[in-house]
Amino acid sequence: MSRIVVTGGAGRLGRSVVTQLAEHGHDVVSLDRELASDLRATQIEVDLLDAEQTREVLVRERPDAVVHLAAIAVPGALPDPEIFRINTQLVWSVLDGALAAQTGALLLASSPTVMGYGAPSGWEPRYLPLDEDHPTAPWNGYAASKVAMEEIVRMAVRQHGDTTRFGIFRPCYVIAPQEWDGAVTQQGHTVAERIADPTLSAVALFNYVDARDAGDFVATWIARAHEAPNGSTFFVGAPDALVEGATADAVRTHLPALASHAGDLAGHESVFSSARAERLLGWRATRLWRDHLTRQTVPQEATP
Ligand SMILES: NC(=O)c1ccc[n+]([C@@H]2O[C@H](COP(=O)([O-])OP(=O)(O)OC[C@H]3O[C@@H](n4cnc5c(N)ncnc54)[C@H](O)[C@@H]3O)[C@@H](O)[C@H]2O)c1
């Protein structure tokens, strides 16, 4: 058993990460400015923008690993300069505290939005499926803060070598367990509504991941981070696309700018490849929407 600090443990993704880490037998501490009910963690209320307080708490807790999720997590929730400032300041604060506490491993949540899809001036991928080697092209303050975070992590690897293991994961659109049963998702629609109206998911290239699978990824990374190059980035998504029918057909219909590469997507394959996580860490998402969306919420035409 290890002692793991999760920042933002009270959040949407944080709750599942905390649960999965507890399931794996870890002793979990959540640092958040909000307290959640029924969280399987010791909860400490802290404003992580306060670097001094963050350092104090982390040095006191002496975790074996830190998972940094706390952020302004929705593009456009605040003006671009504010989101960029807050999210990068949170990274500096947690990085400083984790290093002061001599933490062995620090995993940080980035986002697939770093790719740049949805840019008002247009966006075309170089190839599909997208992988971690594809160039980033952020077009809003949120995505820019995630690219900055990824660079800060690479900087830290150069500064500290292998004394600390660093990792970055880009979780796809997180679907919490209750959302399969009809609770609204982060963007205010149910999953069934997203399936019924593909334009809702097309804006994020039909990506998704069950929050428990994302939590399992975190537990897997903590166990096996030493097997991957330090500072590695991972897409963490379901292997299939959140849309009915063949992904290539959905891409041709709803994402014409990507159509020239659609033929490279097989069957229900996701537009985002999580193959690196499988190759280097042995992790693969197992909870697929076709198995988990409860029958009564499936739109009429999708029921057998
Ligand atoms: N939900 C998704 O689909 C998704 C997809 C890609 C990436 N991510 C990333 O995953 C992480 C978690 O996302 P989420 O959906 O759980 O977000 P969320 O908003 O539900 O949770 C974020 C948590 O961070 C906490 N927090 C924010 N500022 C804080 C501060 N100054 N001090 C202490 N706590 C603070 C909030 O109280 C909240 O509990 C974020 O970094 C987000 O960018 C999420």
PDB file of all heavy atoms in Angstrom, residues 185-221:
ATOM      1  N   THR A 185     -24.082  14.796 -18.252  1.00  0.00           N
ATOM      2  CA  THR A 185     -22.630  14.814 -18.357  1.00  0.00           C
ATOM      3  C   THR A 185     -22.125  16.246 -18.190  1.00  0.00           C
ATOM      4  O   THR A 185     -22.914  17.180 -18.040  1.00  0.00           O
ATOM      5  CB  THR A 185     -22.167  14.264 -19.726  1.00  0.00           C
ATOM      6  OG1 THR A 185     -22.682  15.127 -20.754  1.00  0.00           O
ATOM      7  CG2 THR A 185     -22.675  12.849 -19.967  1.00  0.00           C
ATOM      8  N   GLN A 186     -20.794  16.392 -18.238  1.00  0.00           N
ATOM      9  CA  GLN A 186     -20.160  17.695 -17.999  1.00  0.00           C
ATOM     10  C   GLN A 186     -20.740  18.804 -18.882  1.00  0.00           C
ATOM     11  O   GLN A 186     -20.861  19.934 -18.460  1.00  0.00           O
ATOM     12  CB  GLN A 186     -18.650  17.552 -18.239  1.00  0.00           C
ATOM     13  CG  GLN A 186     -17.847  18.739 -17.783  1.00  0.00           C
ATOM     14  CD  GLN A 186     -16.409  18.637 -18.271  1.00  0.00           C
ATOM     15  OE1 GLN A 186     -16.156  18.306 -19.443  1.00  0.00           O
ATOM     16  NE2 GLN A 186     -15.468  18.901 -17.393  1.00  0.00           N
ATOM     17  N   GLN A 187     -21.117  18.458 -20.120  1.00  0.00           N
ATOM     18  CA  GLN A 187     -21.601  19.489 -21.047  1.00  0.00           C
ATOM     19  C   GLN A 187     -23.117  19.694 -20.964  1.00  0.00           C
ATOM     20  O   GLN A 187     -23.700  20.399 -21.780  1.00  0.00           O
ATOM     21  CB  GLN A 187     -21.218  19.142 -22.495  1.00  0.00           C
ATOM     22  CG  GLN A 187     -19.738  18.935 -22.718  1.00  0.00           C
ATOM     23  CD  GLN A 187     -18.911  20.195 -22.470  1.00  0.00           C
ATOM     24  OE1 GLN A 187     -19.426  21.293 -22.519  1.00  0.00           O
ATOM     25  NE2 GLN A 187     -17.626  20.027 -22.160  1.00  0.00           N
ATOM     26  N   GLY A 188     -23.764  19.029 -19.998  1.00  0.00           N
ATOM     27  CA  GLY A 188     -25.182  19.284 -19.757  1.00  0.00           C
ATOM     28  C   GLY A 188     -26.144  18.411 -20.543  1.00  0.00           C
ATOM     29  O   GLY A 188     -27.344  18.661 -20.531  1.00  0.00           O
ATOM     30  N   HIS A 189     -25.646  17.390 -21.249  1.00  0.00           N
ATOM     31  CA  HIS A 189     -26.539  16.441 -21.933  1.00  0.00           C
ATOM     32  C   HIS A 189     -26.359  15.069 -21.319  1.00  0.00           C
ATOM     33  O   HIS A 189     -25.321  14.785 -20.727  1.00  0.00           O
ATOM     34  CB  HIS A 189     -26.190  16.334 -23.430  1.00  0.00           C
ATOM     35  CG  HIS A 189     -26.103  17.642 -24.128  1.00  0.00           C
ATOM     36  ND1 HIS A 189     -24.902  18.289 -24.357  1.00  0.00           N
ATOM     37  CD2 HIS A 189     -27.061  18.447 -24.623  1.00  0.00           C
ATOM     38  CE1 HIS A 189     -25.126  19.428 -24.976  1.00  0.00           C
ATOM     39  NE2 HIS A 189     -26.436  19.551 -25.148  1.00  0.00           N
ATOM     40  N   THR A 190     -27.350  14.208 -21.497  1.00  0.00           N
ATOM     41  CA  THR A 190     -27.149  12.817 -21.068  1.00  0.00           C
ATOM     42  C   THR A 190     -26.342  12.096 -22.153  1.00  0.00           C
ATOM     43  O   THR A 190     -26.251  12.573 -23.297  1.00  0.00           O
ATOM     44  CB  THR A 190     -28.494  12.088 -20.877  1.00  0.00           C
ATOM     45  OG1 THR A 190     -29.129  11.990 -22.156  1.00  0.00           O
ATOM     46  CG2 THR A 190     -29.396  12.833 -19.895  1.00  0.00           C
ATOM     47  N   VAL A 191     -25.794  10.945 -21.801  1.00  0.00           N
ATOM     48  CA  VAL A 191     -25.046  10.170 -22.800  1.00  0.00           C
ATOM     49  C   VAL A 191     -25.983   9.760 -23.928  1.00  0.00           C
ATOM     50  O   VAL A 191     -25.621   9.828 -25.115  1.00  0.00           O
ATOM     51  CB  VAL A 191     -24.377   8.924 -22.166  1.00  0.00           C
ATOM     52  CG1 VAL A 191     -23.599   8.143 -23.220  1.00  0.00           C
ATOM     53  CG2 VAL A 191     -23.460   9.315 -21.019  1.00  0.00           C
ATOM     54  N   ALA A 192     -27.213   9.362 -23.566  1.00  0.00           N
ATOM     55  CA  ALA A 192     -28.177   8.932 -24.596  1.00  0.00           C
ATOM     56  C   ALA A 192     -28.449  10.071 -25.583  1.00  0.00           C
ATOM     57  O   ALA A 192     -28.570   9.845 -26.796  1.00  0.00           O
ATOM     58  CB  ALA A 192     -29.469   8.469 -23.938  1.00  0.00           C
ATOM     59  N   GLU A 193     -28.535  11.299 -25.075  1.00  0.00           N
ATOM     60  CA  GLU A 193     -28.745  12.446 -25.976  1.00  0.00           C
ATOM     61  C   GLU A 193     -27.539  12.640 -26.889  1.00  0.00           C
ATOM     62  O   GLU A 193     -27.686  13.017 -28.061  1.00  0.00           O
ATOM     63  CB  GLU A 193     -29.004  13.719 -25.155  1.00  0.00           C
ATOM     64  CG  GLU A 193     -30.410  13.773 -24.561  1.00  0.00           C
ATOM     65  CD  GLU A 193     -30.582  14.843 -23.485  1.00  0.00           C
ATOM     66  OE1 GLU A 193     -29.573  15.344 -22.941  1.00  0.00           O
ATOM     67  OE2 GLU A 193     -31.739  15.145 -23.169  1.00  0.00           O
ATOM     68  N   ARG A 194     -26.369  12.372 -26.361  1.00  0.00           N
ATOM     69  CA  ARG A 194     -25.161  12.516 -27.193  1.00  0.00           C
ATOM     70  C   ARG A 194     -25.142  11.453 -28.309  1.00  0.00           C
ATOM     71  O   ARG A 194     -24.672  11.718 -29.413  1.00  0.00           O
ATOM     72  CB  ARG A 194     -23.897  12.407 -26.333  1.00  0.00           C
ATOM     73  CG  ARG A 194     -23.740  13.583 -25.385  1.00  0.00           C
ATOM     74  CD  ARG A 194     -22.542  13.386 -24.470  1.00  0.00           C
ATOM     75  NE  ARG A 194     -21.275  13.667 -25.134  1.00  0.00           N
ATOM     76  CZ  ARG A 194     -20.693  14.862 -25.170  1.00  0.00           C
ATOM     77  NH1 ARG A 194     -21.273  15.892 -24.582  1.00  0.00           N
ATOM     78  NH2 ARG A 194     -19.550  15.041 -25.779  1.00  0.00           N
ATOM     79  N   ILE A 195     -25.648  10.267 -27.987  1.00  0.00           N
ATOM     80  CA  ILE A 195     -25.695   9.221 -29.019  1.00  0.00           C
ATOM     81  C   ILE A 195     -26.766   9.574 -30.064  1.00  0.00           C
ATOM     82  O   ILE A 195     -26.562   9.419 -31.277  1.00  0.00           O
ATOM     83  CB  ILE A 195     -26.003   7.842 -28.383  1.00  0.00           C
ATOM     84  CG1 ILE A 195     -24.896   7.434 -27.389  1.00  0.00           C
ATOM     85  CG2 ILE A 195     -26.190   6.777 -29.463  1.00  0.00           C
ATOM     86  CD1 ILE A 195     -23.546   7.202 -28.012  1.00  0.00           C
ATOM     87  N   ALA A 196     -27.905  10.076 -29.564  1.00  0.00           N
ATOM     88  CA  ALA A 196     -29.013  10.401 -30.481  1.00  0.00           C
ATOM     89  C   ALA A 196     -28.660  11.560 -31.405  1.00  0.00           C
ATOM     90  O   ALA A 196     -29.138  11.628 -32.543  1.00  0.00           O
ATOM     91  CB  ALA A 196     -30.268  10.728 -29.671  1.00  0.00           C
ATOM     92  N   ASP A 197     -27.841  12.491 -30.914  1.00  0.00           N
ATOM     93  CA  ASP A 197     -27.464  13.661 -31.716  1.00  0.00           C
ATOM     94  C   ASP A 197     -25.935  13.700 -31.839  1.00  0.00           C
ATOM     95  O   ASP A 197     -25.246  14.298 -31.003  1.00  0.00           O
ATOM     96  CB  ASP A 197     -27.978  14.935 -31.041  1.00  0.00           C
ATOM     97  CG  ASP A 197     -27.586  16.189 -31.824  1.00  0.00           C
ATOM     98  OD1 ASP A 197     -26.897  16.067 -32.859  1.00  0.00           O
ATOM     99  OD2 ASP A 197     -27.965  17.295 -31.382  1.00  0.00           O
ATOM    100  N   PRO A 198     -25.365  13.067 -32.857  1.00  0.00           N
ATOM    101  CA  PRO A 198     -23.899  12.947 -32.966  1.00  0.00           C
ATOM    102  C   PRO A 198     -23.175  14.288 -33.029  1.00  0.00           C
ATOM    103  O   PRO A 198     -21.977  14.351 -32.738  1.00  0.00           O
ATOM    104  CB  PRO A 198     -23.695  12.166 -34.267  1.00  0.00           C
ATOM    105  CG  PRO A 198     -25.010  11.521 -34.556  1.00  0.00           C
ATOM    106  CD  PRO A 198     -26.064  12.402 -33.964  1.00  0.00           C
ATOM    107  N   THR A 199     -23.886  15.367 -33.376  1.00  0.00           N
ATOM    108  CA  THR A 199     -23.191  16.659 -33.432  1.00  0.00           C
ATOM    109  C   THR A 199     -22.679  17.069 -32.039  1.00  0.00           C
ATOM    110  O   THR A 199     -21.701  17.802 -31.923  1.00  0.00           O
ATOM    111  CB  THR A 199     -24.102  17.788 -33.974  1.00  0.00           C
ATOM    112  OG1 THR A 199     -25.253  17.896 -33.119  1.00  0.00           O
ATOM    113  CG2 THR A 199     -24.560  17.501 -35.393  1.00  0.00           C
ATOM    114  N   LEU A 200     -23.346  16.557 -30.968  1.00  0.00           N
ATOM    115  CA  LEU A 200     -22.915  16.905 -29.606  1.00  0.00           C
ATOM    116  C   LEU A 200     -21.541  16.308 -29.284  1.00  0.00           C
ATOM    117  O   LEU A 200     -20.740  16.914 -28.578  1.00  0.00           O
ATOM    118  CB  LEU A 200     -23.947  16.414 -28.572  1.00  0.00           C
ATOM    119  CG  LEU A 200     -25.346  17.039 -28.658  1.00  0.00           C
ATOM    120  CD1 LEU A 200     -26.301  16.344 -27.689  1.00  0.00           C
ATOM    121  CD2 LEU A 200     -25.273  18.534 -28.369  1.00  0.00           C
ATOM    122  N   SER A 201     -21.282  15.110 -29.784  1.00  0.00           N
ATOM    123  CA  SER A 201     -19.990  14.456 -29.516  1.00  0.00           C
ATOM    124  C   SER A 201     -18.951  14.760 -30.596  1.00  0.00           C
ATOM    125  O   SER A 201     -17.750  14.602 -30.359  1.00  0.00           O
ATOM    126  CB  SER A 201     -20.174  12.937 -29.441  1.00  0.00           C
ATOM    127  OG  SER A 201     -20.582  12.561 -28.163  1.00  0.00           O
ATOM    128  N   ALA A 202     -19.431  15.166 -31.768  1.00  0.00           N
ATOM    129  CA  ALA A 202     -18.496  15.432 -32.870  1.00  0.00           C
ATOM    130  C   ALA A 202     -17.509  16.537 -32.500  1.00  0.00           C
ATOM    131  O   ALA A 202     -16.349  16.506 -32.919  1.00  0.00           O
ATOM    132  CB  ALA A 202     -19.276  15.810 -34.139  1.00  0.00           C
ATOM    133  N   VAL A 203     -17.958  17.511 -31.673  1.00  0.00           N
ATOM    134  CA  VAL A 203     -17.055  18.617 -31.310  1.00  0.00           C
ATOM    135  C   VAL A 203     -15.820  18.114 -30.572  1.00  0.00           C
ATOM    136  O   VAL A 203     -14.774  18.767 -30.598  1.00  0.00           O
ATOM    137  CB  VAL A 203     -17.774  19.697 -30.458  1.00  0.00           C
ATOM    138  CG1 VAL A 203     -18.805  20.441 -31.274  1.00  0.00           C
ATOM    139  CG2 VAL A 203     -18.430  19.081 -29.207  1.00  0.00           C
ATOM    140  N   ALA A 204     -15.927  16.958 -29.909  1.00  0.00           N
ATOM    141  CA  ALA A 204     -14.751  16.379 -29.234  1.00  0.00           C
ATOM    142  C   ALA A 204     -14.307  15.102 -29.948  1.00  0.00           C
ATOM    143  O   ALA A 204     -13.683  14.218 -29.352  1.00  0.00           O
ATOM    144  CB  ALA A 204     -15.060  16.089 -27.774  1.00  0.00           C
ATOM    145  N   LEU A 205     -14.628  15.016 -31.224  1.00  0.00           N
ATOM    146  CA  LEU A 205     -14.212  13.889 -32.083  1.00  0.00           C
ATOM    147  C   LEU A 205     -14.664  12.544 -31.497  1.00  0.00           C
ATOM    148  O   LEU A 205     -13.957  11.544 -31.607  1.00  0.00           O
ATOM    149  CB  LEU A 205     -12.695  13.888 -32.312  1.00  0.00           C
ATOM    150  CG  LEU A 205     -12.024  15.228 -32.674  1.00  0.00           C
ATOM    151  CD1 LEU A 205     -10.572  14.993 -33.072  1.00  0.00           C
ATOM    152  CD2 LEU A 205     -12.762  15.956 -33.777  1.00  0.00           C
ATOM    153  N   PHE A 206     -15.835  12.550 -30.856  1.00  0.00           N
ATOM    154  CA  PHE A 206     -16.477  11.332 -30.343  1.00  0.00           C
ATOM    155  C   PHE A 206     -15.647  10.629 -29.261  1.00  0.00           C
ATOM    156  O   PHE A 206     -15.777   9.439 -29.044  1.00  0.00           O
ATOM    157  CB  PHE A 206     -16.782  10.342 -31.480  1.00  0.00           C
ATOM    158  CG  PHE A 206     -17.489  10.950 -32.650  1.00  0.00           C
ATOM    159  CD1 PHE A 206     -16.854  11.086 -33.883  1.00  0.00           C
ATOM    160  CD2 PHE A 206     -18.794  11.419 -32.528  1.00  0.00           C
ATOM    161  CE1 PHE A 206     -17.508  11.662 -34.971  1.00  0.00           C
ATOM    162  CE2 PHE A 206     -19.447  11.988 -33.609  1.00  0.00           C
ATOM    163  CZ  PHE A 206     -18.806  12.118 -34.840  1.00  0.00           C
ATOM    164  N   ASN A 207     -14.776  11.397 -28.575  1.00  0.00           N
ATOM    165  CA  ASN A 207     -13.938  10.722 -27.574  1.00  0.00           C
ATOM    166  C   ASN A 207     -14.667  10.579 -26.247  1.00  0.00           C
ATOM    167  O   ASN A 207     -15.551  11.364 -25.913  1.00  0.00           O
ATOM    168  CB  ASN A 207     -12.575  11.407 -27.428  1.00  0.00           C
ATOM    169  CG  ASN A 207     -12.603  12.680 -26.598  1.00  0.00           C
ATOM    170  OD1 ASN A 207     -13.240  12.743 -25.545  1.00  0.00           O
ATOM    171  ND2 ASN A 207     -11.906  13.702 -27.067  1.00  0.00           N
ATOM    172  N   TYR A 208     -14.316   9.578 -25.468  1.00  0.00           N
ATOM    173  CA  TYR A 208     -14.863   9.388 -24.117  1.00  0.00           C
ATOM    174  C   TYR A 208     -14.035   8.360 -23.378  1.00  0.00           C
ATOM    175  O   TYR A 208     -13.274   7.598 -23.986  1.00  0.00           O
ATOM    176  CB  TYR A 208     -16.344   8.920 -24.169  1.00  0.00           C
ATOM    177  CG  TYR A 208     -16.519   7.442 -24.436  1.00  0.00           C
ATOM    178  CD1 TYR A 208     -16.825   6.556 -23.400  1.00  0.00           C
ATOM    179  CD2 TYR A 208     -16.356   6.907 -25.711  1.00  0.00           C
ATOM    180  CE1 TYR A 208     -16.981   5.192 -23.637  1.00  0.00           C
ATOM    181  CE2 TYR A 208     -16.514   5.545 -25.945  1.00  0.00           C
ATOM    182  CZ  TYR A 208     -16.822   4.692 -24.908  1.00  0.00           C
ATOM    183  OH  TYR A 208     -16.966   3.350 -25.153  1.00  0.00           O
ATOM    184  N   VAL A 209     -14.181   8.390 -22.051  1.00  0.00           N
ATOM    185  CA  VAL A 209     -13.623   7.315 -21.228  1.00  0.00           C
ATOM    186  C   VAL A 209     -14.486   7.211 -19.976  1.00  0.00           C
ATOM    187  O   VAL A 209     -14.932   8.227 -19.435  1.00  0.00           O
ATOM    188  CB  VAL A 209     -12.134   7.580 -20.868  1.00  0.00           C
ATOM    189  CG1 VAL A 209     -11.960   8.791 -19.942  1.00  0.00           C
ATOM    190  CG2 VAL A 209     -11.484   6.354 -20.238  1.00  0.00           C
ATOM    191  N   ASP A 210     -14.760   5.998 -19.548  1.00  0.00           N
ATOM    192  CA  ASP A 210     -15.455   5.794 -18.278  1.00  0.00           C
ATOM    193  C   ASP A 210     -14.507   6.246 -17.158  1.00  0.00           C
ATOM    194  O   ASP A 210     -13.317   5.913 -17.160  1.00  0.00           O
ATOM    195  CB  ASP A 210     -15.799   4.303 -18.133  1.00  0.00           C
ATOM    196  CG  ASP A 210     -16.581   4.012 -16.856  1.00  0.00           C
ATOM    197  OD1 ASP A 210     -16.005   4.188 -15.761  1.00  0.00           O
ATOM    198  OD2 ASP A 210     -17.748   3.609 -16.946  1.00  0.00           O
ATOM    199  N   ALA A 211     -15.074   6.990 -16.187  1.00  0.00           N
ATOM    200  CA  ALA A 211     -14.235   7.544 -15.110  1.00  0.00           C
ATOM    201  C   ALA A 211     -13.505   6.443 -14.342  1.00  0.00           C
ATOM    202  O   ALA A 211     -12.378   6.644 -13.870  1.00  0.00           O
ATOM    203  CB  ALA A 211     -15.102   8.369 -14.164  1.00  0.00           C
ATOM    204  N   ARG A 212     -14.134   5.238 -14.229  1.00  0.00           N
ATOM    205  CA  ARG A 212     -13.462   4.148 -13.503  1.00  0.00           C
ATOM    206  C   ARG A 212     -12.262   3.637 -14.291  1.00  0.00           C
ATOM    207  O   ARG A 212     -11.233   3.270 -13.714  1.00  0.00           O
ATOM    208  CB  ARG A 212     -14.454   3.004 -13.235  1.00  0.00           C
ATOM    209  CG  ARG A 212     -15.549   3.401 -12.260  1.00  0.00           C
ATOM    210  CD  ARG A 212     -16.727   2.487 -12.346  1.00  0.00           C
ATOM    211  NE  ARG A 212     -17.395   2.599 -13.657  1.00  0.00           N
ATOM    212  CZ  ARG A 212     -18.553   2.008 -13.968  1.00  0.00           C
ATOM    213  NH1 ARG A 212     -19.151   1.247 -13.083  1.00  0.00           N
ATOM    214  NH2 ARG A 212     -19.086   2.172 -15.167  1.00  0.00           N
ATOM    215  N   ASP A 213     -12.372   3.623 -15.629  1.00  0.00           N
ATOM    216  CA  ASP A 213     -11.211   3.238 -16.440  1.00  0.00           C
ATOM    217  C   ASP A 213     -10.085   4.260 -16.278  1.00  0.00           C
ATOM    218  O   ASP A 213      -8.910   3.902 -16.215  1.00  0.00           O
ATOM    219  CB  ASP A 213     -11.613   3.132 -17.920  1.00  0.00           C
ATOM    220  CG  ASP A 213     -12.278   1.794 -18.240  1.00  0.00           C
ATOM    221  OD1 ASP A 213     -11.947   0.789 -17.580  1.00  0.00           O
ATOM    222  OD2 ASP A 213     -13.130   1.763 -19.149  1.00  0.00           O
ATOM    223  N   ALA A 214     -10.464   5.550 -16.226  1.00  0.00           N
ATOM    224  CA  ALA A 214      -9.436   6.584 -16.020  1.00  0.00           C
ATOM    225  C   ALA A 214      -8.780   6.384 -14.653  1.00  0.00           C
ATOM    226  O   ALA A 214      -7.550   6.519 -14.515  1.00  0.00           O
ATOM    227  CB  ALA A 214     -10.069   7.972 -16.121  1.00  0.00           C
ATOM    228  N   GLY A 215      -9.592   6.037 -13.644  1.00  0.00           N
ATOM    229  CA  GLY A 215      -9.038   5.752 -12.314  1.00  0.00           C
ATOM    230  C   GLY A 215      -8.101   4.553 -12.339  1.00  0.00           C
ATOM    231  O   GLY A 215      -7.035   4.568 -11.716  1.00  0.00           O
ATOM    232  N   ASP A 216      -8.487   3.530 -13.092  1.00  0.00           N
ATOM    233  CA  ASP A 216      -7.617   2.353 -13.221  1.00  0.00           C
ATOM    234  C   ASP A 216      -6.298   2.720 -13.903  1.00  0.00           C
ATOM    235  O   ASP A 216      -5.242   2.196 -13.570  1.00  0.00           O
ATOM    236  CB  ASP A 216      -8.307   1.261 -14.056  1.00  0.00           C
ATOM    237  CG  ASP A 216      -9.367   0.527 -13.247  1.00  0.00           C
ATOM    238  OD1 ASP A 216      -9.305   0.552 -12.007  1.00  0.00           O
ATOM    239  OD2 ASP A 216     -10.280  -0.056 -13.879  1.00  0.00           O
ATOM    240  N   PHE A 217      -6.383   3.650 -14.880  1.00  0.00           N
ATOM    241  CA  PHE A 217      -5.141   4.083 -15.531  1.00  0.00           C
ATOM    242  C   PHE A 217      -4.205   4.689 -14.484  1.00  0.00           C
ATOM    243  O   PHE A 217      -3.007   4.396 -14.463  1.00  0.00           O
ATOM    244  CB  PHE A 217      -5.407   5.112 -16.646  1.00  0.00           C
ATOM    245  CG  PHE A 217      -4.115   5.731 -17.123  1.00  0.00           C
ATOM    246  CD1 PHE A 217      -3.345   5.108 -18.089  1.00  0.00           C
ATOM    247  CD2 PHE A 217      -3.632   6.904 -16.548  1.00  0.00           C
ATOM    248  CE1 PHE A 217      -2.107   5.629 -18.474  1.00  0.00           C
ATOM    249  CE2 PHE A 217      -2.405   7.434 -16.929  1.00  0.00           C
ATOM    250  CZ  PHE A 217      -1.643   6.797 -17.894  1.00  0.00           C
ATOM    251  N   VAL A 218      -4.759   5.554 -13.634  1.00  0.00           N
ATOM    252  CA  VAL A 218      -3.924   6.228 -12.620  1.00  0.00           C
ATOM    253  C   VAL A 218      -3.261   5.192 -11.715  1.00  0.00           C
ATOM    254  O   VAL A 218      -2.053   5.262 -11.444  1.00  0.00           O
ATOM    255  CB  VAL A 218      -4.776   7.232 -11.799  1.00  0.00           C
ATOM    256  CG1 VAL A 218      -3.979   7.772 -10.611  1.00  0.00           C
ATOM    257  CG2 VAL A 218      -5.248   8.383 -12.693  1.00  0.00           C
ATOM    258  N   ALA A 219      -4.046   4.203 -11.267  1.00  0.00           N
ATOM    259  CA  ALA A 219      -3.486   3.159 -10.397  1.00  0.00           C
ATOM    260  C   ALA A 219      -2.404   2.371 -11.138  1.00  0.00           C
ATOM    261  O   ALA A 219      -1.358   2.034 -10.576  1.00  0.00           O
ATOM    262  CB  ALA A 219      -4.599   2.231  -9.926  1.00  0.00           C
ATOM    263  N   THR A 220      -2.637   2.103 -12.423  1.00  0.00           N
ATOM    264  CA  THR A 220      -1.660   1.351 -13.224  1.00  0.00           C
ATOM    265  C   THR A 220      -0.374   2.166 -13.394  1.00  0.00           C
ATOM    266  O   THR A 220       0.735   1.640 -13.268  1.00  0.00           O
ATOM    267  CB  THR A 220      -2.254   1.022 -14.609  1.00  0.00           C
ATOM    268  OG1 THR A 220      -3.468   0.297 -14.421  1.00  0.00           O
ATOM    269  CG2 THR A 220      -1.298   0.191 -15.441  1.00  0.00           C
ATOM    270  N   TRP A 221      -0.552   3.466 -13.677  1.00  0.00           N
ATOM    271  CA  TRP A 221       0.650   4.313 -13.856  1.00  0.00           C
ATOM    272  C   TRP A 221       1.475   4.320 -12.572  1.00  0.00           C
ATOM    273  O   TRP A 221       2.705   4.203 -12.610  1.00  0.00           O
ATOM    274  CB  TRP A 221       0.258   5.745 -14.248  1.00  0.00           C
ATOM    275  CG  TRP A 221       1.460   6.603 -14.518  1.00  0.00           C
ATOM    276  CD1 TRP A 221       2.142   6.721 -15.699  1.00  0.00           C
ATOM    277  CD2 TRP A 221       2.163   7.423 -13.567  1.00  0.00           C
ATOM    278  NE1 TRP A 221       3.215   7.572 -15.549  1.00  0.00           N
ATOM    279  CE2 TRP A 221       3.252   8.014 -14.243  1.00  0.00           C
ATOM    280  CE3 TRP A 221       1.974   7.718 -12.221  1.00  0.00           C
ATOM    281  CZ2 TRP A 221       4.146   8.895 -13.614  1.00  0.00           C
ATOM    282  CZ3 TRP A 221       2.864   8.586 -11.589  1.00  0.00           C
ATOM    283  CH2 TRP A 221       3.936   9.163 -12.285  1.00  0.00           C
TER     284      TRP A 221
END
